[in-house]
Amino acid sequence: MIIKEINMTESILTEGPITRNTISSRLGALSENKNLGGHSVFIGQVRNDVKGLKRVMAIEYSAYPELANREAEKIRQEILNEFTDVKELNIIHSTGRVMAGEVSLFVLVSGGHRQQAIAACAKTVELIKEKLPVWKKELFEDNTHEWINENPA
Amino acid sequence: MVKRKFMEIRVLFFGVLAEVTQTMFKHYRDIASFNDLMYRIRDEFPEIIHYNYRIAVNSEMVNEDPQLKNLDEVAFMPPFAGG
C-alpha cells in the first residue's frame, strides 16, 4: 500500500463560532516552540450592537473559500517578510452563524520578542479586514437582517 | 458568416449579491466574452447595477474586462467585511 502524503495547508475557515477548546488548544501548543519569546493574540467577537430599535443577535458570515485561503497565505507571507522576528502566524475565521458574544476571528502571531509580535498581529487583523473575501450580515432579534459594507453604488 | 467560439462560464455570487440574484451559482452558456457575460447578467438581474463589486476569475482577483476561457469560474464579490 502506498501512503501518499498530502501537503495541504489547513483552511483558515471554520463553520460556526471559534470554540474555547480550539483557542485553548492553540494556546496550549505554544510551549512546544522554546525559541519563541512573545505571542500576540487577537480575538474578535460578535457585538450586540443596537441599530435603531433593533439589537444584533448574531452575524452570519459567508466566504469564498478558495480565494480566502489564497489571500490568507499571501497575508502570511507579507507578514513574515516584513517582520523578520515573527516566526509563525495563525488565522481562524468563522463562516455561518456566530451569536453575539461568540468568537468569529482568532489571530495568533508568534515571534522571538514582543515588539514585532504585537505590531504584526495588529497589521494581520487590518489585512484580514481589507483582503479576505468574507461577508457578513447582522441578524436582528426580529428576524430581519442587514448586510455590512454592501455599499450600494 | 464568422463562426465565433462560445464558452460555458460558471458564475458565483457572494454576500448581498447572492441575495439580490437569489442564487450563489449559475451556469451561462454561449458566452462570447466577459462583456457578453456582463450583458447577460445585467439583463437577468437589473438590480445588480446598484451594487459595488469586485471580480475574481478562478479564485484570482482580476481587473475589469478579463479574458475568459471555456469553463472559467467568475465570482462577483461585494466589498469585503471579514472579522
Side-chain angles (χ1 to χ4, degrees):
Chain A
M1 198 174 121
I2 299 167
I3 298 170
K4 197 175 169 190
E5 202 171 312
I6 301 169
N7 184 16
M8 205 170 72
T9 319
E10 200 184 338
S11 175
I12 62 150
L13 300 173
T14 186
E15 176 66 27
I18 300 165
T19 62
R20 288 173 194 200
N21 272 347
T22 300
I23 293 170
S24 63
S25 73
R26 296 286 173 125
L27 296 181
L30 293 178
S31 57
E32 287 168 16
N33 285 318
K34 298 187 177 56
N35 59 330
L36 299 175
H39 307 284
S40 187
V41 175
F42 178 81
I43 292 175
Q45 78 174 21
V46 171
R47 212 173 33 234
N48 65 346
D49 280 347
V50 175
K51 300 211 167 161
L53 296 171
K54 300 187 291 187
R55 186 179 290 281
V56 173
M57 176 187 79
I59 287 180
E60 194 160 296
Y61 291 93
S62 52
Y64 186 2
E66 295 83 358
L67 185 59
N69 283 308
R70 198 172 279 193
E71 291 296 319
E73 183 53 30
K74 282 189 200 162
I75 291 171
R76 191 168 171 277
Q77 290 304 330
E78 180 177 339
I79 293 292
L80 293 178
N81 283 340
E82 181 176 341
F83 300 93
T84 50
D85 189 44
V86 167
K87 305 303 177 204
E88 202 41 76
L89 189 155
N90 275 272
I91 300 170
I92 311 175
H93 199 301
S94 291
T95 57
R97 187 172 294 201
V98 182
M99 306 299 289
E102 291 183 325
V103 173
S104 58
L105 174 61
F106 176 78
V107 176
L108 168 60
V109 177
S110 299
H113 309 80
R114 68 187 183 284
Q115 291 93 341
Q116 288 204 9
I118 292 169
C121 184
K123 181 157 185 183
T124 301
V125 174
E126 296 311 311
L127 289 173
I128 286 169
K129 295 254 173 197
E130 185 189 333
K131 307 226 181 237
L132 270 201
V134 174
W135 299 276
K136 61 181 158 197
K137 61 178 177 185
E138 291 177 332
L139 308 178
F140 299 104
E141 285 165 342
D142 64 354
N143 285 329
T144 57
H145 70 261
E146 189 173 296
W147 287 94
I148 304 303
N149 250 0
E150 72 180 42
N151 281 12
Chain B
M1 225 179 110
V2 181
K3 196 175 178 189
R4 299 179 69 177
K5 197 166 182 187
F6 289 107
M7 300 175 285
E8 184 180 334
I9 301 293
R10 183 171 191 250
V11 173
L12 307 179
F13 297 106
F14 287 104
V16 69
L17 296 179
E19 190 170 288
V20 167
T21 61
Q22 302 202 334
T23 186
M24 281 196 72
F25 314 99
K26 206 162 163 60
H27 271 99
Y28 286 90
R29 292 173 211 284
D30 302 329
I31 296 295
S33 65
F34 181 75
N35 280 337
D36 185 28
L37 177 68
M38 286 310 303
Y39 182 84
R40 293 266 295 271
I41 289 173
R42 287 190 192 122
D43 192 48
E44 190 172 0
F45 307 110
E47 322 87 89
I48 205 168
I49 62 162
H50 300 302
Y51 293 87
N52 288 324
Y53 50 79
R54 295 160 79 185
I55 307 270
V57 176
N58 302 329
S59 314
E60 289 276 10
M61 306 289 300
V62 295
N63 296 319
E64 60 231 59
D65 200 18
Q67 291 295 311
L68 297 182
K69 304 183 306 297
N70 193 33
L71 303 177
D72 273 352
E73 180 179 277
V74 178
F76 288 80
M77 306 181 295
F80 303 156

